[in-house]
Amino acid sequence: MLNGVSGHAGLFGNSYDVAVIMQMLINKGAYNGVQYLSEEVVEQFTKSYDVNKSRRALGFDKPVRDGSNGPTFNGISFESFGHSGFTGTFTWADPEEEIVYVFLSNRVYPSVENTKLIKMGLRSDIQEAIYKSIKR
């Protein structure tokens, strides 16, 4: 329909590659001694602009501030940012705590009707367990 070109998202990498990108963002655009993005660009795409209207940043999702359900566990740094994808893939970076979390999955297998991952809250439960194990 679009001659093989589309604007939808897709992940074509592994957990290590995703973690490297998230670590680069924590490092304000630098990774392994190379500045890939300016600090200003990273800040522009990872900060909330009006937390009263939306928790989202330009390029990423952010934690909820009112304790309601969101993509993360309650108690995570408001400086953190990430993405939870339609297929269940989840990545989150927390510059304040210097934590990167990557969860790769295929929620839509065997069908798009599979909602177990969302209903179980597994991704945020794992994230909370990571924080509790590190922040003793």
Side-chain angles (χ1 to χ4, degrees):
M1 191 170 182
L2 298 172
N3 295 324
V5 177
S6 181
H8 64 79
L11 176 65
F12 304 99
N14 57 38
S15 58
Y16 178 82
D17 292 338
V18 173
V20 165
I21 291 169
M22 298 306 278
Q23 185 63 52
M24 183 226 8
L25 295 169
I26 283 179
N27 297 346
K28 300 182 183 198
Y31 186 79
N32 205 20
V34 178
Q35 190 74 37
Y36 291 98
L37 301 171
S38 72
E39 291 184 26
E40 295 79 18
V41 165
V42 173
E43 182 178 337
Q44 183 178 8
F45 280 83
T46 60
K47 75 175 184 176
S48 296
Y49 284 87
D50 187 348
V51 295
N52 296 319
K53 291 184 179 179
S54 173
R55 69 172 190 265
R56 304 203 188 268
L58 283 179
F60 294 94
D61 203 353
K62 301 285 285 180
V64 296
R65 292 180 179 259
D66 63 2
S68 61
N69 283 340
T72 64
F73 76 97
N74 289 323
I76 194 169
S77 159
F78 293 128
E79 295 301 310
S80 70
F81 55 89
H83 174 73
S84 57
F86 178 73
T87 62
T89 294
F90 181 91
T91 186
W92 211 266
D94 188 343
E96 192 173 296
E97 299 295 336
E98 297 184 347
I99 295 173
V100 170
Y101 167 39
V102 178
F103 181 96
L104 300 183
S105 69
N106 187 359
R107 178 197 67 80
V108 296
Y109 180 83
S111 90
V112 73
E113 306 302 321
N114 182 359
T115 59
K116 291 178 187 174
L117 189 61
I118 296 165
K119 287 180 181 175
M120 292 173 60
L122 189 61
R123 297 171 294 186
S124 56
D125 288 349
I126 292 171
Q127 185 180 49
E128 184 174 17
I130 291 168
Y131 274 73
K132 284 183 176 179
S133 69
I134 292 172
K135 294 181 65 173
R136 289 187 175 191

